[in-house]
Amino acid sequence: KVFNTVIQRSVKISEAPSYGEPVVVYAKDSKGAVNYQDLSKEFLARFFADWENVKPSEKQAAAQPPQKQEQLT
């Protein structure tokens, strides 16, 4: 066990690649997306000690999922 955060099984995690999107964009409020967001926060807290000194506005920007990209047809 490397991290404390557990990524729960979720159909949305499996569906997201079929739509060409990460789960945090495809279903941002799903259990899986929230779990991955929690994992990213845990990772940052562990490996970037200065994360606590980052301005709240910068933290909020870093926590935003990427924008949906339009697919070319």
Side-chain angles (χ1 to χ4, degrees), residues 39-62:
L39 177 62
S40 66
K41 291 174 188 173
E42 182 182 350
F43 177 88
L44 290 170
R46 186 180 300 180
F47 294 105
F48 296 94
D50 289 339
W51 180 248
E52 295 304 320
N53 298 323
V54 174
K55 295 176 188 175
S57 61
E58 293 174 351
K59 283 184 180 181
Q60 186 176 10

